[in-house]
Amino acid sequence: MKISKIIVGVVALLAVVACNPNSNNGNGGQNDTTWSDNGSPIGEWALTEWNNSQNLPMGVYLRLNEDNTFDLYQHTLSVLWVHYNGTFSLNGSTLTGVYSDGTKWNDYTIKYSNDSEPKKIKLTRKGDSEDVGIYTATEIPANVIDQATEATAVRSIIIEKFL
């Protein structure tokens, strides 16, 4: 899985030059944020740091809804924004999910930023403490939602789901 994510990053770097939801304010992400087990994952989030890098060659937006459904918009292996959806659950600090096609996510430990603004969540893949994504609270841009292709309609290439 780790090698395929590296391949995703390399391919995305070549295919996605100008599309980066990173709102880097120069303050960094994981290194200067304090984390706790208290918070709520409900809201809209942009992946702003992955594996200690803020220079992301991809775009990932995640909406976690109060009814335990999610929407994932990713721009990783193709020139398209691809939309996935499904359900998620939170059991203590473990976040799990299932895509609408029945594919299970990886399991993640979730932590919440203690900083007042912007709110952040940190997802660390269980079994791989080096696979860490920092998501910053943000509104998903309307153009991403409007331009996204439903995952079920994408058949010309194989696209790996980010979560």
Side-chain angles (χ1 to χ4, degrees):
M1 181 60 89
K2 192 178 231 180
I3 291 173
S4 64
K5 284 190 177 182
I6 291 170
I7 291 171
V8 166
V10 171
V11 172
L13 179 59
L14 297 174
V16 184
V17 176
C19 202
N20 183 353
N22 183 1
S23 57
N24 182 5
N25 61 8
N27 293 332
Q30 182 175 345
N31 297 331
D32 63 353
T33 300
T34 57
W35 301 98
S36 77
D37 292 328
N38 300 320
S40 172
I42 304 305
E44 295 185 354
W45 308 93
L47 180 67
T48 53
E49 186 174 332
W50 185 46
N51 296 340
N52 290 316
S53 177
Q54 294 178 341
N55 298 317
L56 304 178
M58 66 188 113
V60 177
Y61 289 99
L62 176 62
R63 179 187 303 125
L64 298 170
N65 302 303
E66 288 185 19
D67 65 356
N68 286 34
T69 60
F70 73 88
D71 292 283
L72 174 69
Y73 298 89
Q74 70 178 49
H75 193 267
T76 55
L77 264 184
S78 76
V79 295
L80 303 172
W81 280 99
V82 179
H83 173 240
Y84 296 94
N85 58 22
T87 59
F88 74 93
S89 62
L90 184 62
N91 184 6
S93 64
T94 300
L95 182 68
T96 60
V98 177
Y99 290 96
S100 59
D101 69 359
T103 305
K104 189 179 179 315
W105 288 1
N106 293 303
D107 292 343
Y108 293 92
T109 299
I110 188 169
K111 298 286 185 182
Y112 307 92
S113 65
N114 286 328
D115 305 335
S116 58
E117 294 296 327
K119 290 292 186 188
K120 297 178 184 178
I121 56 174
K122 176 169 69 168
L123 300 181
T124 304
R125 187 167 62 138
K126 291 202 171 213
D128 186 355
S129 62
E130 293 182 17
D131 187 350
V132 179
I134 305 294
Y135 292 79
T136 302
T138 190
E139 185 175 334
I140 300 172
N143 69 311
V144 170
I145 295 169
D146 294 343
Q147 295 172 11
T149 301
E150 292 301 316
T152 56
V154 179
R155 290 183 168 72
S156 60
I157 59 173
I158 297 172
I159 298 178
E160 184 174 340
K161 298 168 183 148
F162 190 76
L163 293 174

